[in-house]
Amino acid sequence: MPNRSNPYLPDAARIEEVRVETPDTKTFKVVFCDDDPRAGFAYRPGQFAEVSVFGVGEAPFSITSTPTRAGFLEFSIKRMGRVTRALHEMIGGEGIGVRGPYGNNFPVDEWRGKRLLFIGGGIGLAPLRSAINYCLDNRGDYGDIDIIYGARSPADLVFKPELEQWANRDDMTLHLTVDAGDDEWTGRVGFVPAVLAELGPSPEGIITITCGPPIMIRLVLQGLAQLGFSDEQIVTTLEMRMKCGIGKCGRCNIGRSYVCVDGPVYNLAQLRQLGAEH
Ligand SMILES: Cc1cc2nc3c(=O)[nH]c(=O)nc-3n(C[C@H](O)[C@H](O)[C@H](O)COP(=O)(O)OP(=O)(O)OC[C@H]3O[C@@H](n4cnc5c(N)ncnc54)[C@H](O)[C@@H]3O)c2cc1C
Ligand code: FES
């Protein structure tokens, strides 16, 4: 977090590029206007930032870029309400505010030497993408990397050019699926939990990291339990309602844990201890 007396003060940033991902999701490549905050904004995969649109408000978003590719931040944002609608109307060159980075991060150091299975649905790939690219940029540190990613339709798949790059790599495996195909779709059709069941990964020496719609998460967790995964092997990231992002307003707690400070990354054992429902 930048060292300053007012923690709510955003740093001035500029949208460098806007990429349309799906009919309701865009990715914003953002650079800080001044060198100083850029230097102070050291983040890890899994952290988030509060992004503000002047005169509208601010909202928390996962940083979907990886710190291994320095000089910019990326946020993939689904249009939901006031702030996200305003962001979707913005174009390259326009100014926004960014404060952060906040929250804990994916324990990518603890994962060294392990096999990794990322399981994402829809826009849930956004936080996972930071960790995926971090691990790919440090490829020698990790064992097999598998990604199961699904969306409702081919049009709803995010990061399509990157999915293609991942599919073409021979040091990882992408299992792509859609709930329903279209005339041009020649890939797999089926739900993410069904792909997991079909692959049936052995739980030995593996960490699985999942993020997606609640129904997908619920079925994936059931599937992982049936395959013999322990709660400690299952990592997820939560998107609670948040306001301050820094543990002050009390909006985001689960039990005694403030998700904005202790989370958003938890393993299933930690969530059960907090009494969170899944
Ligand atoms: C740690 C964290 C990381 C996040 N990462 C991303 C991301 O990478 N990409 C992304 O698109 N979104 C992400 N979100 C969700 C994002 O913050 C909300 O979509 C955003 O706050 C909505 O703001 P708004 O002003 O556009 O909508 P509002 O006008 O505030 O609300 C519009 C609608 O969105 C719903 N909504 C608002 N906040 C949330 C929320 N946190 N979860 C679910 N529904 C909500 C409301 O119930 C309402 O129906 C993240 C949230 C958190 C806490
Ligand atoms: S968002 Fe304010 S305490 Fe977490």
Side-chain angles (χ1 to χ4, degrees):
M1 200 191 308
N3 179 17
R4 57 161 52 100
S5 52
N6 182 354
Y8 296 105
L9 204 63
D11 287 312
R14 192 181 64 250
I15 297 173
E16 203 172 70
E17 188 189 334
V18 182
R19 296 195 298 271
V20 177
E21 301 286 356
T22 74
D24 62 10
T25 302
K26 291 182 177 178
T27 295
F28 298 81
K29 185 174 182 182
V30 168
V31 293
F32 287 108
C33 296
D34 300 324
D35 284 341
D36 183 37
R38 192 176 313 192
F41 199 104
Y43 70 99
R44 305 279 288 161
Q47 287 196 286
F48 68 96
E50 290 280 347
V51 174
S52 45
V53 180
F54 305 122
V56 180
E58 67 176 356
F61 299 102
S62 305
I63 305 167
T64 186
S65 48
T66 163
T68 45
R69 302 174 195 179
F72 62 90
L73 300 174
E74 284 175 328
F75 302 97
S76 291
I77 298 178
K78 185 170 174 171
R79 197 174 50 236
M80 295 290 290
R82 256 175 76 79
V83 174
T84 51
R85 244 192 338 256
L87 280 164
H88 270 242
E89 279 164 17
M90 297 183 84
I91 57 170
E94 290 194 86
I96 55 171
V98 176
R99 61 183 179 94
Y102 296 136
N104 67 352
N105 53 271
F106 290 116
V108 285
D109 294 335
E110 288 171 26
W111 295 349
R112 288 215 177 94
K114 298 211 160 70
R115 293 189 293 141
L116 303 176
L117 170 60
F118 294 92
I119 307 177
I123 181 74
L125 189 59
L128 303 186
R129 174 179 177 245
S130 181
I132 291 168
N133 281 329
Y134 181 94
C135 296
L136 290 175
D137 289 349
N138 294 282
R139 188 65 192 90
D141 290 350
Y142 302 94
D144 295 346
I145 297 180
D146 281 70
I147 302 170
I148 303 176
Y149 174 55
R152 279 175 306 183
S153 73
D156 292 305
L157 293 165
V158 292
F159 311 129
K160 289 185 191 73
E162 203 158 22
L163 294 176
E164 206 172 313
Q165 286 169 21
W166 291 345
N168 288 331
R169 286 181 72 130
D170 54 15
D171 59 355
M172 61 169 288
T173 311
L174 174 68
H175 311 271
L176 203 55
T177 189
V178 293
D179 299 352
D182 58 19
D183 291 348
E184 283 164 32
W185 181 253
T186 53
R188 191 192 298 256
V189 176
F191 296 115
V192 163
V195 178
L196 173 67
E198 193 185 308
L199 293 177
S202 128
E204 205 158 314
I206 192 169
I207 297 289
T208 181
I209 309 98
T210 185
C211 185
I215 177 71
M216 183 207 91
I217 298 275
R218 208 169 310 130
L219 295 173
V220 162
L221 294 183
Q222 281 172 18
L224 291 168
Q226 279 163 11
L227 289 165
F229 280 70
S230 72
D231 289 351
E232 286 76 12
Q233 288 174 284
I234 303 169
V235 176
T236 190
T237 173
L238 302 182
E239 290 192 0
M240 303 292 288
R241 295 295 200 92
M242 287 184 188
K243 189 82 185 156
C244 69
I246 53 174
K248 303 274 189 212
C249 73
R251 289 276 179 98
C252 68
N253 71 302
I254 303 181
R256 55 183 196 291
S257 184
Y258 284 141
V259 176
C260 66
V261 177
D262 304 331
V265 174
Y266 296 88
N267 69 36
L268 195 52
Q270 292 166 328
L271 287 178
R272 285 196 207 284
Q273 259 183 5
L274 292 169
E277 279 180 25
H278 273 279

mmCIF file of all heavy atoms in Angstrom, residues 8 15 29 38 56-57 68 78 90 94 120 126 134 159 162-163 185 213 219 258 271-272 276:
data_model
loop_
_atom_site.group_PDB
_atom_site.id
_atom_site.type_symbol
_atom_site.label_atom_id
_atom_site.label_comp_id
_atom_site.label_asym_id
_atom_site.label_seq_id
_atom_site.Cartn_x
_atom_site.Cartn_y
_atom_site.Cartn_z
ATOM 1 N N TYR A 8 -7.594 6.736 1.852
ATOM 2 C CA TYR A 8 -8.705 6.707 0.885
ATOM 3 C C TYR A 8 -8.374 7.465 -0.401
ATOM 4 O O TYR A 8 -9.171 7.490 -1.330
ATOM 5 C CB TYR A 8 -9.969 7.320 1.508
ATOM 6 C CG TYR A 8 -10.482 6.524 2.669
ATOM 7 C CD1 TYR A 8 -10.298 6.965 3.971
ATOM 8 C CD2 TYR A 8 -11.141 5.314 2.479
ATOM 9 C CE1 TYR A 8 -10.752 6.228 5.049
ATOM 10 C CE2 TYR A 8 -11.600 4.570 3.550
ATOM 11 C CZ TYR A 8 -11.400 5.034 4.831
ATOM 12 O OH TYR A 8 -11.851 4.304 5.898
ATOM 13 N N ILE A 15 -6.403 5.209 -18.410
ATOM 14 C CA ILE A 15 -6.739 3.991 -19.164
ATOM 15 C C ILE A 15 -5.923 4.012 -20.456
ATOM 16 O O ILE A 15 -6.021 4.960 -21.239
ATOM 17 C CB ILE A 15 -8.245 3.947 -19.495
ATOM 18 C CG1 ILE A 15 -9.068 3.892 -18.205
ATOM 19 C CG2 ILE A 15 -8.565 2.745 -20.386
ATOM 20 C CD1 ILE A 15 -10.565 4.017 -18.426
ATOM 21 N N LYS A 29 -6.594 -1.778 -19.491
ATOM 22 C CA LYS A 29 -5.167 -1.703 -19.188
ATOM 23 C C LYS A 29 -4.908 -0.283 -18.679
ATOM 24 O O LYS A 29 -5.276 0.696 -19.343
ATOM 25 C CB LYS A 29 -4.355 -1.985 -20.458
ATOM 26 C CG LYS A 29 -2.874 -2.045 -20.228
ATOM 27 C CD LYS A 29 -2.176 -2.471 -21.506
ATOM 28 C CE LYS A 29 -0.688 -2.600 -21.304
ATOM 29 N NZ LYS A 29 0.007 -2.957 -22.545
ATOM 30 N N ARG A 38 3.466 4.404 -9.011
ATOM 31 C CA ARG A 38 3.772 3.214 -9.804
ATOM 32 C C ARG A 38 4.801 2.371 -9.065
ATOM 33 O O ARG A 38 4.687 1.153 -8.969
ATOM 34 C CB ARG A 38 4.336 3.658 -11.143
ATOM 35 C CG ARG A 38 4.423 2.573 -12.158
ATOM 36 C CD ARG A 38 4.907 3.105 -13.471
ATOM 37 N NE ARG A 38 4.213 4.322 -13.883
ATOM 38 C CZ ARG A 38 4.293 4.843 -15.091
ATOM 39 N NH1 ARG A 38 5.019 4.266 -15.986
ATOM 40 N NH2 ARG A 38 3.657 5.940 -15.401
ATOM 41 N N VAL A 56 -18.578 9.566 -9.793
ATOM 42 C CA VAL A 56 -19.510 8.422 -9.809
ATOM 43 C C VAL A 56 -19.330 7.553 -8.561
ATOM 44 O O VAL A 56 -20.263 7.301 -7.804
ATOM 45 C CB VAL A 56 -19.327 7.566 -11.086
ATOM 46 C CG1 VAL A 56 -20.300 6.381 -11.074
ATOM 47 C CG2 VAL A 56 -19.547 8.404 -12.335
ATOM 48 N N GLY A 57 -18.120 7.101 -8.329
ATOM 49 C CA GLY A 57 -17.865 6.257 -7.165
ATOM 50 C C GLY A 57 -16.714 5.310 -7.428
ATOM 51 O O GLY A 57 -16.021 5.428 -8.440
ATOM 52 N N THR A 68 4.627 -10.075 -12.724
ATOM 53 C CA THR A 68 5.809 -10.446 -13.510
ATOM 54 C C THR A 68 5.861 -9.671 -14.838
ATOM 55 O O THR A 68 6.859 -9.737 -15.543
ATOM 56 C CB THR A 68 5.797 -11.965 -13.798
ATOM 57 O OG1 THR A 68 4.474 -12.338 -14.214
ATOM 58 C CG2 THR A 68 6.189 -12.758 -12.573
ATOM 59 N N LYS A 78 -17.023 -6.633 -15.334
ATOM 60 C CA LYS A 78 -18.357 -6.970 -15.849
ATOM 61 C C LYS A 78 -19.311 -5.817 -15.516
ATOM 62 O O LYS A 78 -19.293 -5.306 -14.388
ATOM 63 C CB LYS A 78 -18.823 -8.267 -15.182
ATOM 64 C CG LYS A 78 -20.110 -8.794 -15.706
ATOM 65 C CD LYS A 78 -20.344 -10.182 -15.163
ATOM 66 C CE LYS A 78 -21.708 -10.679 -15.557
ATOM 67 N NZ LYS A 78 -21.905 -12.064 -15.251
ATOM 68 N N MET A 90 -16.029 4.410 -20.712
ATOM 69 C CA MET A 90 -14.757 5.133 -20.846
ATOM 70 C C MET A 90 -13.911 4.540 -21.968
ATOM 71 O O MET A 90 -14.051 3.369 -22.334
ATOM 72 C CB MET A 90 -14.005 5.106 -19.512
ATOM 73 C CG MET A 90 -14.791 5.818 -18.424
ATOM 74 S SD MET A 90 -13.926 5.904 -16.853
ATOM 75 C CE MET A 90 -12.935 7.355 -17.132
ATOM 76 N N GLU A 94 -8.597 8.245 -20.986
ATOM 77 C CA GLU A 94 -9.355 8.882 -19.904
ATOM 78 C C GLU A 94 -8.763 8.539 -18.543
ATOM 79 O O GLU A 94 -8.100 7.507 -18.365
ATOM 80 C CB GLU A 94 -10.826 8.459 -19.966
ATOM 81 C CG GLU A 94 -11.547 9.063 -21.163
ATOM 82 C CD GLU A 94 -13.062 8.927 -21.049
ATOM 83 O OE1 GLU A 94 -13.693 9.786 -20.422
ATOM 84 O OE2 GLU A 94 -13.597 7.943 -21.590
ATOM 85 N N GLY A 120 -12.114 -22.309 -13.441
ATOM 86 C CA GLY A 120 -12.779 -21.009 -13.503
ATOM 87 C C GLY A 120 -14.048 -21.062 -14.311
ATOM 88 O O GLY A 120 -14.200 -21.868 -15.234
ATOM 89 N N ALA A 126 -10.875 -13.973 -14.139
ATOM 90 C CA ALA A 126 -10.087 -12.739 -13.979
ATOM 91 C C ALA A 126 -9.062 -12.825 -12.843
ATOM 92 O O ALA A 126 -7.874 -12.590 -13.072
ATOM 93 C CB ALA A 126 -11.007 -11.537 -13.821
ATOM 94 N N TYR A 134 1.418 -15.658 -13.607
ATOM 95 C CA TYR A 134 2.569 -15.606 -12.696
ATOM 96 C C TYR A 134 3.287 -16.965 -12.716
ATOM 97 O O TYR A 134 4.509 -17.035 -12.826
ATOM 98 C CB TYR A 134 2.089 -15.281 -11.275
ATOM 99 C CG TYR A 134 3.215 -15.194 -10.270
ATOM 100 C CD1 TYR A 134 3.802 -13.972 -9.960
ATOM 101 C CD2 TYR A 134 3.708 -16.342 -9.636
ATOM 102 C CE1 TYR A 134 4.850 -13.886 -9.047
ATOM 103 C CE2 TYR A 134 4.748 -16.269 -8.730
ATOM 104 C CZ TYR A 134 5.311 -15.048 -8.444
ATOM 105 O OH TYR A 134 6.355 -14.975 -7.539
ATOM 106 N N PHE A 159 -10.856 -13.371 -22.335
ATOM 107 C CA PHE A 159 -9.428 -13.529 -22.674
ATOM 108 C C PHE A 159 -9.208 -14.499 -23.853
ATOM 109 O O PHE A 159 -8.328 -15.361 -23.797
ATOM 110 C CB PHE A 159 -8.620 -14.026 -21.463
ATOM 111 C CG PHE A 159 -8.870 -13.272 -20.193
ATOM 112 C CD1 PHE A 159 -9.175 -13.936 -19.008
ATOM 113 C CD2 PHE A 159 -8.796 -11.887 -20.164
ATOM 114 C CE1 PHE A 159 -9.401 -13.239 -17.832
ATOM 115 C CE2 PHE A 159 -9.022 -11.175 -18.989
ATOM 116 C CZ PHE A 159 -9.334 -11.860 -17.818
ATOM 117 N N GLU A 162 -5.713 -15.028 -25.318
ATOM 118 C CA GLU A 162 -4.832 -15.689 -24.351
ATOM 119 C C GLU A 162 -5.198 -17.165 -24.185
ATOM 120 O O GLU A 162 -4.324 -18.022 -24.029
ATOM 121 C CB GLU A 162 -4.936 -14.971 -23.009
ATOM 122 C CG GLU A 162 -3.743 -15.186 -22.131
ATOM 123 C CD GLU A 162 -3.636 -14.072 -21.116
ATOM 124 O OE1 GLU A 162 -4.657 -13.407 -20.822
ATOM 125 O OE2 GLU A 162 -2.531 -13.872 -20.595
ATOM 126 N N LEU A 163 -6.497 -17.456 -24.266
ATOM 127 C CA LEU A 163 -6.922 -18.870 -24.194
ATOM 128 C C LEU A 163 -6.282 -19.653 -25.333
ATOM 129 O O LEU A 163 -5.838 -20.792 -25.159
ATOM 130 C CB LEU A 163 -8.449 -18.983 -24.271
ATOM 131 C CG LEU A 163 -9.268 -18.405 -23.113
ATOM 132 C CD1 LEU A 163 -10.763 -18.509 -23.410
ATOM 133 C CD2 LEU A 163 -8.938 -19.107 -21.801
ATOM 134 N N TRP A 185 -18.833 -23.259 -32.943
ATOM 135 C CA TRP A 185 -18.105 -23.888 -31.835
ATOM 136 C C TRP A 185 -17.835 -25.371 -32.125
ATOM 137 O O TRP A 185 -18.764 -26.129 -32.385
ATOM 138 C CB TRP A 185 -18.908 -23.739 -30.543
ATOM 139 C CG TRP A 185 -18.227 -24.325 -29.331
ATOM 140 C CD1 TRP A 185 -18.569 -25.475 -28.672
ATOM 141 C CD2 TRP A 185 -17.102 -23.791 -28.632
ATOM 142 N NE1 TRP A 185 -17.728 -25.684 -27.606
ATOM 143 C CE2 TRP A 185 -16.805 -24.668 -27.559
ATOM 144 C CE3 TRP A 185 -16.300 -22.654 -28.809
ATOM 145 C CZ2 TRP A 185 -15.760 -24.445 -26.666
ATOM 146 C CZ3 TRP A 185 -15.256 -22.432 -27.914
ATOM 147 C CH2 TRP A 185 -14.995 -23.324 -26.867
ATOM 148 N N PRO A 213 -19.129 -18.602 -10.749
ATOM 149 C CA PRO A 213 -20.463 -18.403 -10.174
ATOM 150 C C PRO A 213 -20.712 -19.378 -9.021
ATOM 151 O O PRO A 213 -20.180 -20.502 -9.027
ATOM 152 C CB PRO A 213 -21.410 -18.696 -11.342
ATOM 153 C CG PRO A 213 -20.580 -19.023 -12.511
ATOM 154 C CD PRO A 213 -19.153 -19.027 -12.144
ATOM 155 N N LEU A 219 -20.777 -27.068 -6.981
ATOM 156 C CA LEU A 219 -20.645 -28.389 -7.612
ATOM 157 C C LEU A 219 -19.183 -28.813 -7.759
ATOM 158 O O LEU A 219 -18.852 -29.995 -7.622
ATOM 159 C CB LEU A 219 -21.346 -28.388 -8.977
ATOM 160 C CG LEU A 219 -22.872 -28.189 -8.888
ATOM 161 C CD1 LEU A 219 -23.479 -28.017 -10.264
ATOM 162 C CD2 LEU A 219 -23.527 -29.372 -8.157
ATOM 163 N N TYR A 258 -12.324 -10.056 8.210
ATOM 164 C CA TYR A 258 -12.642 -9.045 7.192
ATOM 165 C C TYR A 258 -12.049 -9.512 5.874
ATOM 166 O O TYR A 258 -10.831 -9.626 5.739
ATOM 167 C CB TYR A 258 -12.073 -7.687 7.576
ATOM 168 C CG TYR A 258 -12.854 -6.981 8.671
ATOM 169 C CD1 TYR A 258 -12.204 -6.267 9.655
ATOM 170 C CD2 TYR A 258 -14.239 -7.032 8.694
ATOM 171 C CE1 TYR A 258 -12.914 -5.621 10.659
ATOM 172 C CE2 TYR A 258 -14.961 -6.395 9.686
ATOM 173 C CZ TYR A 258 -14.300 -5.694 10.666
ATOM 174 O OH TYR A 258 -15.006 -5.062 11.645
ATOM 175 N N LEU A 271 -12.271 -21.325 5.382
ATOM 176 C CA LEU A 271 -13.664 -20.877 5.251
ATOM 177 C C LEU A 271 -14.585 -21.658 6.181
ATOM 178 O O LEU A 271 -15.501 -21.106 6.778
ATOM 179 C CB LEU A 271 -14.132 -21.020 3.800
ATOM 180 C CG LEU A 271 -13.550 -19.989 2.834
ATOM 181 C CD1 LEU A 271 -14.040 -20.244 1.418
ATOM 182 C CD2 LEU A 271 -13.929 -18.575 3.253
ATOM 183 N N ARG A 272 -14.337 -22.952 6.312
ATOM 184 C CA ARG A 272 -15.177 -23.752 7.215
ATOM 185 C C ARG A 272 -15.004 -23.277 8.659
ATOM 186 O O ARG A 272 -15.968 -23.191 9.409
ATOM 187 C CB ARG A 272 -14.815 -25.233 7.109
ATOM 188 C CG ARG A 272 -15.339 -25.877 5.849
ATOM 189 C CD ARG A 272 -15.294 -27.397 5.968
ATOM 190 N NE ARG A 272 -15.168 -28.025 4.675
ATOM 191 C CZ ARG A 272 -16.153 -28.158 3.793
ATOM 192 N NH1 ARG A 272 -17.350 -27.700 4.053
ATOM 193 N NH2 ARG A 272 -15.940 -28.751 2.650
ATOM 194 N N ALA A 276 -18.281 -20.039 6.939
ATOM 195 C CA ALA A 276 -18.828 -19.595 5.650
ATOM 196 C C ALA A 276 -19.526 -20.756 4.967
ATOM 197 O O ALA A 276 -19.074 -21.893 5.039
ATOM 198 C CB ALA A 276 -17.696 -19.078 4.763
#
